[in-house]
Amino acid sequence: MIPYQKFQHGMHPARKFSPHPPKPPVESNSRAGRNLPAATATAIILLGIIAASLVFYIQIFVVLATIALVIGIWEFSGAVLARNIRVPFITLSVSVIFMVLLTWEFGVGAGFLGYLISTTLALGITKYYLGESLRTGIVAVFGLAWIGLSGVFAIGMAHLPAPTQILTALILLPAANDTGGWCAGILFGKHPMVPKISPKKSWEGFGGSMFLSLLVSYLIVGLFTKLDWPWAILFGVITPFIATAGDFAESMIKRDLGIKDMGSVFPGHGGMLDRLDSILFCAPVFYFLFALAFGAI
């Protein structure tokens, strides 16, 4: 049997796809802090693909979400290499797919059970096959919870009433939070929220996040999903808090690892996890709130 490290780094043609520490982002002189044309084009293409999958065939959305989660695991596995921590990437990827399949077939409860099974497997492989420390195993379990378990709740929304509408809300509300905060921050930002964690996030930007989240929630949760206006206000108000917490959490992880972006798969946007951080934090809260709103719990 080939040891995992050798399979990853020296004995297989697929090693170029193995996790690796993310490269520093390309410097931009733009006031926006990014390649704005590339970022805009990437956002339009991604949203178009997601919208098409939700409208025409929700199974395609599940496949796309699974691919995104596995890429997230790949980025996470590479990012922690910056601290010389080697998590079992293949095991975590298979675990995520296993959790998604269980959730798709049987619901969130089965997906959570899959997570518990997967954590045991990940700890065992980390300790007894890779010979890594318990610390590495805990990091692996954390990555599986952050990415895989949060993804379970996103996939679980497909079992709730009006799945197309609520999954649209899961995608667009965090996007509105990011866009509103970015625009208001660029134009008016003067007072940093938590400069030691994320110096570019300002209270003025948070106000922009709140405004655009409320507007999008009115359109999606109120008009499209046809829930009463208190629900639209609730989702609009809580999204900036949850999504911003997700941004701060990822910023703290990147700061601790000494990296700027989790990856570079999206021109102008960084890595997959740089796009998913808000969604992953919102998914569990949105799942329970939508389930409550539709009387599913």
Side-chain angles (χ1 to χ4, degrees):
M1 184 176 292
I2 301 174
Y4 179 81
Q5 289 93 333
K6 291 183 178 180
F7 176 83
Q8 287 284 73
H9 299 287
M11 297 184 65
H12 196 279
R15 63 184 179 274
K16 64 181 180 180
F17 298 111
S18 299
H20 53 269
K23 298 178 181 178
V26 177
E27 293 293 333
S28 173
N29 295 323
S30 168
R31 183 183 177 188
R34 66 178 70 177
N35 185 332
L36 193 55
T40 303
T42 300
I44 291 173
I45 292 171
L46 288 175
L47 289 175
I49 293 172
I50 293 170
S53 68
L54 287 173
V55 170
F56 294 107
Y57 206 56
I58 199 169
Q59 286 85 345
I60 297 177
F61 172 83
V62 173
V63 172
L64 292 175
T66 305
I67 293 172
L69 293 173
V70 171
I71 293 174
I73 289 290
W74 177 72
E75 289 183 348
F76 174 79
S77 301
V80 297
L81 284 174
R83 290 289 188 182
N84 200 30
I85 300 173
R86 300 186 186 279
V87 298
F89 162 64
I90 295 175
T91 301
L92 297 184
S93 298
V94 172
S95 296
V96 165
I97 296 171
F98 173 59
M99 292 159 62
V100 167
L101 289 175
L102 283 178
T103 305
W104 175 250
E105 289 294 329
F106 306 108
V108 165
F112 183 74
L113 177 61
Y115 167 72
L116 296 179
I117 296 171
S118 297
T119 55
T120 303
L121 181 64
L123 285 172
I125 288 179
T126 300
K127 179 66 177 177
Y128 297 106
Y129 181 55
L130 301 183
E132 299 285 351
S133 66
L134 178 61
R135 171 173 173 257
T136 299
I138 293 173
V139 171
V141 170
F142 166 77
L144 196 58
W146 177 30
I147 301 166
L149 188 56
S150 297
V152 160
F153 287 98
I155 301 300
M157 289 185 183
H159 289 276
L160 296 177
T164 297
Q165 291 90 324
I166 63 177
L167 285 169
T168 300
L170 176 64
I171 300 300
L172 291 187
L173 277 172
N177 172 82
D178 292 345
T179 304
W182 175 72
C183 290
I186 290 294
L187 295 173
F188 311 111
K190 293 182 179 179
H191 302 90
M193 296 180 69
V194 189
K196 291 185 178 180
I197 297 176
S198 185
K200 292 184 178 180
K201 287 194 177 298
S202 65
W203 286 108
E204 292 83 1
F206 185 78
S209 294
M210 183 69 70
F211 171 77
L212 197 55
S213 294
L214 281 166
L215 176 60
V216 171
S217 184
Y218 168 75
L219 296 173
I220 302 299
V221 179
L223 299 182
F224 189 40
T225 310
K226 294 182 171 58
L227 289 176
D228 293 337
W229 65 266
W231 287 108
I233 293 176
L234 176 61
F235 277 95
V237 169
I238 67 169
T239 295
F241 289 97
I242 304 170
T244 301
D247 289 338
F248 281 150
E250 195 202 17
S251 294
M252 291 176 66
I253 293 171
K254 290 189 292 187
R255 187 173 290 270
D256 185 63
L257 294 175
I259 59 177
K260 176 65 175 177
D261 288 331
M262 284 291 188
S264 56
V265 295
F266 297 127
H269 285 275
M272 180 66 75
L273 287 175
D274 295 306
R275 295 300 90 209
L276 290 182
D277 54 1
S278 299
I279 295 175
L280 292 174
F281 259 59
C282 287
V285 178
F286 278 27
Y287 175 85
F288 285 111
L289 285 179
F290 276 120
L292 185 62
F294 283 105
I297 55 174

